[in-house]
Amino acid sequence: MTREQNYWLMKSEPDVFSIQDLSACRVTGWDGVRNYQARNYLRDGIKVGDGVLFYYSNTRPSGIAGLAEVVRSGYPDDTAFDPNDLHFDPKSDPAKPTWYRVDLKFVKAFPSVIPIQALRKTPGLQKMVLFRNGRLSVQPVSKKEWEIILRLCGKRKNPTAPKPESPR
DNA sequence: GCCAACGTTGGC
DNA sequence: GCCAACGTTGGC
């Protein structure tokens, strides 16, 4: 019997890693998560084939920027072992890693970000974990919530001008 | 930049 | 094991 697809929301600050960055590299390791509840989802809950809402936090507007899909389930996040890494954790033992990551592949970038205010007022989305625990950076999304959000995105108009690639 | 909510740390 | 102090997240 095949496992049912589950759905997740993962946060990133667009300045740090945007949906365009994911589009460019196709696949990325979702590393640097240093929160136990989020870690548990990464290590135990998230499986290959699961759907991911790519959420922009700490920006204007915050909201859902696109979609990704899990292509590798939880495995140790070795950035925790690198003293030069921003997310270095000397307490994570390579023999028994504290932190985990998954790999995501790009699926799509929405024509424009669905802002959190729009999510908040959409019937059926008020109970999203996003609103109950706003700080959790990896969180489950119900199938119903997922479907509502995909419908929202389908209805969205294209932005007035195509988004230029920001120069690096 | 403010500040509320939450998570972590450490003294006891 | 409690809880105050502190640090971080993230919407606004």
Side-chain angles (χ1 to χ4, degrees):
Chain A
M1 150 186 164
T2 51
R3 180 181 180 278
E4 217 176 305
Q5 187 185 23
N6 286 322
Y7 305 96
W8 309 91
L9 180 150
M10 300 193 198
K11 293 184 189 172
S12 179
E13 300 190 16
D15 298 349
V16 177
F17 191 82
S18 71
I19 190 77
Q20 285 76 25
D21 293 331
L22 180 59
S23 170
C25 69
R26 313 307 303 173
V27 173
T28 192
W30 203 258
D31 54 32
V33 175
R34 299 292 180 265
N35 167 285
Y36 287 99
Q37 203 180 342
R39 186 281 311 271
N40 292 346
Y41 290 131
L42 291 170
R43 188 187 58 188
D44 308 325
I46 300 174
K47 301 299 173 191
V48 172
D50 284 357
V52 174
L53 301 171
F54 197 113
Y55 181 90
Y56 282 174
S57 65
N58 226 344
T59 187
R60 279 163 193 274
S62 293
I64 299 170
L67 304 176
E69 184 181 321
V70 178
V71 291
R72 182 175 175 188
S73 60
Y75 64 103
D77 178 358
D78 60 16
T79 64
F81 312 136
D82 177 0
N84 297 317
D85 193 277
L86 187 62
H87 303 286
F88 174 58
D89 178 7
K91 295 198 294 295
S92 183
D93 174 2
K96 199 172 176 293
T98 308
W99 305 114
Y100 281 70
R101 52 146 75 111
V102 299
D103 286 353
L104 300 184
K105 81 166 183 203
F106 173 79
V107 173
K108 81 180 284 189
F110 292 164
S112 61
V113 171
I114 305 178
I116 187 171
Q117 303 95 304
L119 300 172
R120 190 175 265 126
K121 67 184 188 200
T122 299
L125 297 184
Q126 276 97 2
K127 293 199 171 146
M128 286 184 76
V129 177
L130 189 61
F131 304 125
R132 241 184 313 127
N133 181 357
R135 306 188 343 142
L136 189 59
S137 68
V138 175
Q139 51 180 259
V141 170
S142 76
K143 189 175 167 68
K144 275 191 178 158
E145 290 161 352
W146 173 269
E147 285 164 357
I148 290 168
I149 288 161
L150 289 208
R151 234 175 297 136
L152 269 187
C153 129
K155 271 192 282 190
R156 289 186 77 70
K157 295 191 159 91
N158 282 309
T160 48
K163 248 178 215 151
E165 281 292 307
S166 56
R168 300 254 135 205

